[in-house]
């Protein structure tokens, strides 16, 4: 019996895949075609997974006219159907990923990029365990300027940051109740919600899972869910890296560890420092930051977040339990040793993000890399190597990176570079107001 047999209320379907920007591209399908969709998949041009953020073809993409804009085969992922509770009628989404006609994975598909990294871990007997921390703003975008939404309880706007404020959470209790119910229905393992450092900013943590593809699926679906539910409540939800100049940006951090063949944490032993494998992975993550910054900060607005003293890391360094570092080993039980990668903004593609983080850690493990000494104190006040400070610098570093080509297929690297160069040209022509308006609830 299929999932749909247990859900006769579903009236129509969506099917879609994540493009390089994490945008869902696909089709609306009548329910009566479900069996054919499940068995045979669907077809659409491979170039659809390589559009710019506004949904336009990449002008010089070899996937368009050079190949006749050829179709790919889109097949269901192992996720299966998930409900779409933010829509007005009962609807389910069938996530897809793309293949060539001969059955080989399409190398420009970001989900396949992550799967490729995970296969390399499997070959050496390791299983990444990953979790994500999802930061977003709830925004009143009905006027000329963005504002914090009015509290549904009091009708007032609470000016100022309310870090870990229960009052801020209580003010939007109806939204969060609906959000958690929807996460349960969609099999998204949502944990604690907190209010963050910006006006109307919140964070929801998703649980650690021993399946990084599921963790990326969860993050991708969560972003769609939050944006959709917020509109139902008369607000926008934004994962944009820096929607407000004067408040902290949105991050998307990941915590990850490794299970060995016996199911034990391969980063943990009875020492404070952790295992040599932990040190190798830290070193790989640090090596990856300057060359993979385009993955962690993929849009023009992303670099507004990466400024000193704004609760986002700007230095390439690591530390034990220090949130000013870009790579952090959290405190707590020695048996729970893990790495927190803190650089990425909320605007990332979750599949490329986890592929970049886990892929750079894997390079560190494969090459037996050793990290520098951990820092102590405020990283902003120290002379340390810096994260690329502009979109152009990040694109150039990614283009020249040999490490990027160890993690990602060269076709994906080329596609992403072309995409970001086109976006950068369009972005430069926009006013600051247009930039905010375009990105607010798109990324």
């Amino acid at each position: 019996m299929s999932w749909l047999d247990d859900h006769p209320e579903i009236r129509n379907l969506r099917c879609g895949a994540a493009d390089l920007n994490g945008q869902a591209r696909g089709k609306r399908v009548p329910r009566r075609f479900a069996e054919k969709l499940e068995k045979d998949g669907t077809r659409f041009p491979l170039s659809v997974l390589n559009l710019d953020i506004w949904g336009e073809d990449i002008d010089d993409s070899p996937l368009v006219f050079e190949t006749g804009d050829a179709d790919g085969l889109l097949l269901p992922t192992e996720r299966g159907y998930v409900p779409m509770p933010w829509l007005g009628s009962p609807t389910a989404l069938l996530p897809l990923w793309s293949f060539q006609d001969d059955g080989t994975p399409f190398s420009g598909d970001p989900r396949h990029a992550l799967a490729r990294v995970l296969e390399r871990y499997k070959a050496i007997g390791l299983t990444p365990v990953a979790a994500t921390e999802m930061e977003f703003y709830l925004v009143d975008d009905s006027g000329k300027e963005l504002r914090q939404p009015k509290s549904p309880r009091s009708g007032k706007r609470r000016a100022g940051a309310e870090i870990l404020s229960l009052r801020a959470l209580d003010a939007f209790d109806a939204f969060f109740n609906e959000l958690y119910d929807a996460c349960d229905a969609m099999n998204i393992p949502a944990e604690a919600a907190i209010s963050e450092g910006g006006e109307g900013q919140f964070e929801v943590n998703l649980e650690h899972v021993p399946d990084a593809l599921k963790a990326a699926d969860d993050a991708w679906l969560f972003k769609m869910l939050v944006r959709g539910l917020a509109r139902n409540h008369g607000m926008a939800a934004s994962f944009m890296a820096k929607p407000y100049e004067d408040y902290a940006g949105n991050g998307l951090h990941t915590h990850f560890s490794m299970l060995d063949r016996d199911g034990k944490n391969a980063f943990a032993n009875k020492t404070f420092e952790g295992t040599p494998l932990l040190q190798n992975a830290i070193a790989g993550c640090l090596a990856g930051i300057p060359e993979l910054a385009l993955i962690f900060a993929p849009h023009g607005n992303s670099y507004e977040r990466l400024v000193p003293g704004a609760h986002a890391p700007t230095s390439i360094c690591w530390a034990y339990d220090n949130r000013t570092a870009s790579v952090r080993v959290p405190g707590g039980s020695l048996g729970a040793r893990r790495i927190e990668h803190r650089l990425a903004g909320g605007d990332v593609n979750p599949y490329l993000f986890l592929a970049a983080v886990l892929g750079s850690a894997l390079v560190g493990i494969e090459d037996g890399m050793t990290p520098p000494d951990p820092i102590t104190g405020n990283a902003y006040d120290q002379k340390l190597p810096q994260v690329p400070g502009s979109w152009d610098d990040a694109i150039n570093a990614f283009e020249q990176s040999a490490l990027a080509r160890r993690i990602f297929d060269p076709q994906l690297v080329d596609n992403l570079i072309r995409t970001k160069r086109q976006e950068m040209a369009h972005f430069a022509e926009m006013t600051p107001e247009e930039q905010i308006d375009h990105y607010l609830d798109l990324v």
Side-chain angles (χ1 to χ4, degrees), residues 160-169 194-199 201 248 311:
E162 295 195 87
I163 298 174
L164 266 74
S165 166
L166 291 179
R167 180 179 66 176
L169 288 167
I194 63 171
S195 64
E196 273 285 0
E199 291 187 350
Q201 188 184 31
H311 297 284

Side-chain angles (χ1 to χ4, degrees), residues 110-297:
R111 195 172 191 271
H112 280 305
L114 176 55
R116 182 183 179 200
V117 171
L118 298 179
E119 283 297 318
R120 288 169 60 192
Y121 272 108
K122 183 178 179 181
I124 61 173
L126 293 173
T127 301
V129 178
T132 54
E133 298 176 344
M134 313 293 295
E135 293 181 353
F136 59 92
Y137 275 90
L138 295 178
V139 179
D140 177 357
D141 64 341
S142 61
K144 292 184 178 180
E145 295 184 358
L146 302 183
R147 296 186 293 176
Q148 181 184 17
K150 291 181 179 178
S151 163
R153 293 169 65 90
S154 68
K156 299 178 181 179
R157 301 182 203 275
R158 298 287 185 184
E162 295 195 87
I163 298 174
L164 266 74
S165 166
L166 291 179
R167 180 179 66 176
L169 288 167
D170 291 347
F172 295 94
D173 189 54
F175 169 80
F176 281 102
N177 283 338
E178 194 170 342
L179 175 61
Y180 274 86
D181 288 344
C183 283
D184 286 344
M186 296 174 71
N187 191 25
I188 298 172
E191 287 189 327
I194 63 171
S195 64
E196 273 285 0
E199 291 187 350
Q201 188 184 31
F202 299 93
E203 174 184 291
V204 175
N205 296 335
L206 305 186
E207 291 178 14
H208 289 82
V209 291
D211 180 350
L213 273 176
K214 184 181 188 305
D217 288 342
D218 290 338
W220 183 61
L221 293 167
F222 183 84
K223 291 173 76 170
M224 281 195 278
L225 169 62
V226 171
R227 289 192 293 256
L229 286 184
R231 286 301 182 192
N232 291 348
H233 286 257
M235 306 174 287
S238 185
F239 293 86
M240 188 176 178
K242 190 76 168 180
Y244 293 106
E245 182 179 355
D246 296 331
Y247 288 96
N250 288 318
L252 199 166
H253 305 158
T254 186
H255 291 240
F256 71 96
S257 57
M258 296 287 163
L259 298 180
D260 63 19
R261 288 187 172 92
D262 297 323
K264 297 179 180 178
N265 184 356
F267 285 169
N269 54 21
K270 296 181 180 180
T271 69
F272 177 80
E273 290 77 17
T275 64
L277 195 80
L278 172 66
Q279 302 296 311
N280 299 154
I282 290 169
C285 286
L286 294 177
I289 285 174
E291 299 182 39
L292 303 175
L294 184 62
I295 303 291
F296 307 132

Side-chain angles (χ1 to χ4, degrees), residues 284-438:
C285 286
L286 294 177
I289 285 174
E291 299 182 39
L292 303 175
L294 184 62
I295 303 291
F296 307 132
H299 305 291
N301 173 263
S302 305
Y303 297 86
E304 301 296 322
R305 171 178 167 266
L306 298 176
V307 295
H311 297 284
T314 56
S315 301
I316 302 172
C317 60
W318 76 283
Y320 290 99
D321 208 12
N322 182 335
R323 286 183 169 86
T324 67
S326 47
V327 174
R328 168 179 174 254
V329 177
S333 166
L334 297 181
R337 275 287 180 245
R338 64 190 186 277
I339 293 172
E340 180 187 16
H341 200 292
R342 295 181 52 79
L343 185 60
D347 55 347
V348 297
N349 178 329
Y351 299 103
L352 295 183
F353 164 58
L354 284 177
V357 171
L358 297 175
S360 56
L362 181 59
V363 168
I365 293 168
E366 290 175 337
D367 293 359
M369 296 172 68
T370 302
D373 291 338
I375 69 157
T376 57
N378 185 352
Y380 300 121
D381 292 339
Q382 301 178 40
K383 291 184 178 181
L384 296 163
Q386 295 295 293
V387 175
S390 73
W391 204 5
D392 190 42
D393 287 345
I395 293 171
N396 290 334
F398 190 72
E399 183 174 35
Q400 297 163 16
S401 172
L403 185 146
R405 288 166 177 81
R406 282 183 66 177
I407 298 170
F408 298 103
D409 188 278
Q411 182 182 29
L412 188 147
V413 172
D414 181 66
N415 290 349
L416 188 61
I417 291 165
R418 292 172 190 266
T419 301
K420 293 304 163 182
R421 288 227 162 96
Q422 178 166 305
E423 290 177 2
M424 187 168 63
H426 291 338
F427 186 79
E429 297 171 352
M430 296 180 177
T431 67
E433 293 76 19
E434 288 172 334
Q435 292 170 359
I436 295 291
D437 182 62
H438 276 274

